[in-house]
Amino acid sequence: MENFLWGVAAGILGVVALVFFAFTVFRRGALTFQIDGFYTHVVDGDVGPFIRDVQADVPDAEVCRLDDRMSCSIREAVQSCGDAGRPDCNVLLLSGGGQWGAYGAGLFDTLSRHSADELALPGIGVITGISTGSLQALMLMVALDPKQAPAMRRFALDRLVWGYSPERESEVVHNTGLISVPLFGSAAGTAPLRRRVIEALMPGGDESLIEAIGQSSIDGFVGFVEAERGVFRYAEVKELVNTAPSAVAAAEALAAATMASSAMPVFHQQLRVAGSDGKALSLYDGGVRRSVFFDRAMAAVDQEVREMMTKAHRGEHALASMEQASFAQEYEDKAPTVYVVRNGPTARKKDDRLNTSSGPLKNGQRGYDLLVNESEIGAIAGLRLNNPYGRILLTSADRYDTFPSDVGENFKKDEMFKPAFMARLRDLGRHKAERPEGPWWPLSPIERS
């Protein structure tokens, strides 16, 4: 009996040793970039006035400052609105969504093809991107820049579409599924994504797109979360390019920023970027904090518009006495138009299976989907609080499963990047760009009491 017990114990220890060995061998670990000077071009994002009120009793809470490059870009855009020499005062916000970014790729590609000057969206001065929107932002800084040659704008759009047209999921990620998280440390390895982002930016070593991004007249910003402090941060795209020692180094820096913005914890391999001091910080998908990181910029828009209106009416008293309709109209006329692309749906599909079956993976996935959806929608709706009367135009990937199309497939299962589904989303972008009412609809202004 004693020998039997010793045998059982030895067997258990053997299994434990085997599991430990597999864990250490197969665990992916963090994907790390070494980018000298990277954090020189990164600033903390402001939480916005409303969240600051909520956190009023937090020791050493963040203090608002409106002198960083993004706010300065917004200030310049507001002040240039209506100036014939500087019409580039509008803003484009690109949300996260992973493979759903194929919708935005199809949308802008089609809008460009149907535009007389091939500009998919005119008058853009500032672009921000989160997660999949960060890759879109890089390409659209060139594709929407009227100062670029038409051929270069088309080249940028072609690379954008290419990025969302993989032939196999393995070209983007090594998807081993949520069930493998305890072994691998994440549901997907992202080394293929690193290669794909760089190939999108420098196809065959071509440096022209990198150069065009650095020379763009549009300011671009990419957001992510610093894991150590839990703080939302963003990087200025053109600075990452223009301070790099070479085009190859610039492409690496841009890949680091976009992958930091896309590194969803648990789902994607952990991402670290080491700066000049050699310390590698872990960075997360910016969507875990805010999907449309424009709180500070929207506050800057509101501040600048009100200051302009105060000067025009020679005092706050005259401004306060204006009728609501007149105030709202003048505010709208002076404020930039803000375009928002929701790279995904705004509501989750009904799933009856959750009432008849159970399981931690299925329930966890559903909970994740619901939380992400609420975060996305709340972030977009929250834009209106800091900009009560300006034009905010939205488009989304809703109706992806009902619009008339025979392209691709209108469903996905556990695939993170399903080629047939992404083809369907690109076609949805085409469909909305071509429908009579167009792809955009407005958010209602806030009533002024």
Side-chain angles (χ1 to χ4, degrees):
M1 183 65 178
E2 184 177 348
N3 290 336
F4 173 75
L5 293 176
W6 277 109
V8 170
I12 293 174
L13 287 174
V15 170
V16 170
L18 182 62
V19 169
F20 178 77
F21 175 76
F23 181 80
T24 55
V25 169
F26 293 106
R27 188 172 178 82
R28 294 188 178 99
L31 185 65
T32 303
F33 285 84
Q34 175 67 51
I35 310 293
D36 289 341
F38 183 82
Y39 293 103
T40 304
H41 314 298
V42 175
V43 299
D44 290 357
D46 178 45
V47 297
F50 303 106
I51 295 179
R52 273 198 304 278
D53 287 344
V54 174
Q55 297 177 336
D57 211 25
V58 176
D60 302 319
E62 295 181 43
V63 176
C64 176
R65 48 183 290 271
L66 292 173
D67 58 352
D68 64 280
R69 183 59 208 157
M70 186 168 78
S71 293
C72 291
S73 297
I74 294 300
R75 185 175 296 116
E76 293 168 3
V78 174
Q79 292 173 350
S80 72
C81 270
D83 183 349
R86 281 290 307 278
D88 52 338
C89 67
N90 297 325
V91 178
L92 173 62
L93 313 181
L94 303 163
S95 85
Q99 65 184 330
W100 292 89
Y103 166 69
L107 174 72
F108 285 105
D109 180 58
T110 305
L111 288 173
S112 172
R113 294 182 185 280
H114 288 296
S115 169
D117 55 6
E118 294 189 8
L119 275 176
L121 205 59
I124 298 297
V126 181
I127 300 176
T128 73
I130 285 285
S131 197
T132 200
S134 66
L135 177 59
Q136 293 175 334
L138 303 183
M139 304 306 179
L140 292 176
M141 284 176 65
V142 177
L144 301 181
D145 182 5
K147 296 183 180 180
Q148 301 285 347
M152 178 53 67
R153 294 203 298 269
R154 170 44 50 189
F155 181 58
L157 279 170
D158 287 345
R159 299 314 295 164
L160 176 64
V161 172
W162 177 87
Y164 289 95
S165 306
E167 295 182 2
R168 295 172 297 278
E169 183 179 47
S170 59
E171 295 176 4
V172 187
V173 293
H174 289 311
N175 184 2
T176 49
L178 285 173
I179 197 170
S180 70
V181 170
L183 179 61
F184 288 101
S186 61
T190 52
L193 179 59
R194 180 180 191 166
R195 294 190 294 268
R196 190 167 185 84
V197 170
I198 292 175
E199 180 62 20
L201 291 167
M202 295 184 62
D206 187 343
E207 301 179 359
S208 59
L209 184 54
I210 295 291
E211 294 173 358
I213 293 172
Q215 296 168 2
S216 176
S217 63
I218 298 174
D219 290 328
F221 304 91
V222 170
F224 43 80
V225 173
E226 182 187 304
E228 181 182 35
R229 296 185 295 150
V231 172
F232 182 88
R233 313 193 75 188
Y234 56 85
E236 184 177 358
V237 171
K238 287 192 291 189
E239 282 194 358
L240 290 177
V241 172
N242 294 330
T243 58
S246 66
V248 172
E252 282 283 326
L254 294 179
T258 57
M259 290 188 66
S261 188
S262 306
M264 177 58 72
V266 179
F267 285 84
H268 295 157
Q269 184 176 3
Q270 192 171 6
L271 192 287
R272 292 177 183 157
V273 179
S276 300
D277 61 359
K279 181 182 179 181
L281 293 178
S282 292
L283 305 175
Y284 291 161
D285 188 332
V288 303
R289 280 294 301 269
R290 62 191 75 172
S291 295
V292 183
F293 69 98
F294 213 55
D295 311 61
R296 178 186 299 190
M298 279 303 216
V301 167
D302 183 71
Q303 178 179 310
E304 289 298 319
V305 169
R306 289 179 185 274
E307 287 182 4
M308 292 173 65
M309 292 176 66
T310 299
K311 291 178 181 178
H313 290 274
R314 299 182 180 179
E316 294 183 2
H317 177 73
L319 198 65
S321 65
M322 289 180 64
E323 292 184 359
Q324 191 273 337
S326 299
F327 182 95
Q329 185 60 57
E330 184 170 341
Y331 188 109
E332 179 180 313
D333 292 341
K334 292 184 179 298
T337 297
V338 177
Y339 295 91
V340 184
V341 177
R342 166 65 180 115
N343 284 299
T346 59
R348 311 313 297 183
K349 291 182 65 174
K350 181 179 178 180
D351 192 345
D352 292 332
R353 297 174 300 171
L354 294 167
N355 296 325
T356 58
S357 61
S358 62
L361 294 181
K362 184 178 295 183
N363 283 318
Q365 180 67 58
R366 183 62 167 180
Y368 163 81
D369 288 343
L370 295 175
L371 287 171
V372 168
N373 189 71
E374 288 303 304
S375 172
E376 296 275 2
I377 304 312
I380 293 171
L383 295 173
R384 180 50 85 192
L385 295 176
N386 281 322
N387 183 343
Y389 308 111
R391 290 177 297 275
I392 302 178
L393 302 179
L394 172 66
T395 188
S396 76
D398 289 301
R399 303 193 184 190
Y400 71 94
D401 55 343
T402 59
F403 82 103
S405 175
D406 57 2
V407 175
E409 298 176 358
N410 67 358
F411 65 91
K412 65 181 184 70
K413 294 182 180 178
D414 297 326
E415 301 95 340
M416 290 183 176
F417 293 90
K418 181 179 180 180
F421 183 64
M422 295 173 75
R424 176 81 169 199
L425 292 174
R426 294 195 305 274
D427 197 44
L428 174 64
R430 174 205 58 78
H431 167 75
K432 288 199 174 183
E434 293 178 345
R435 67 184 183 180
E437 65 271 33
W440 312 98
W441 57 91
L443 300 188
S444 301
I446 293 177
E447 293 294 332
R448 180 174 182 249
S449 57

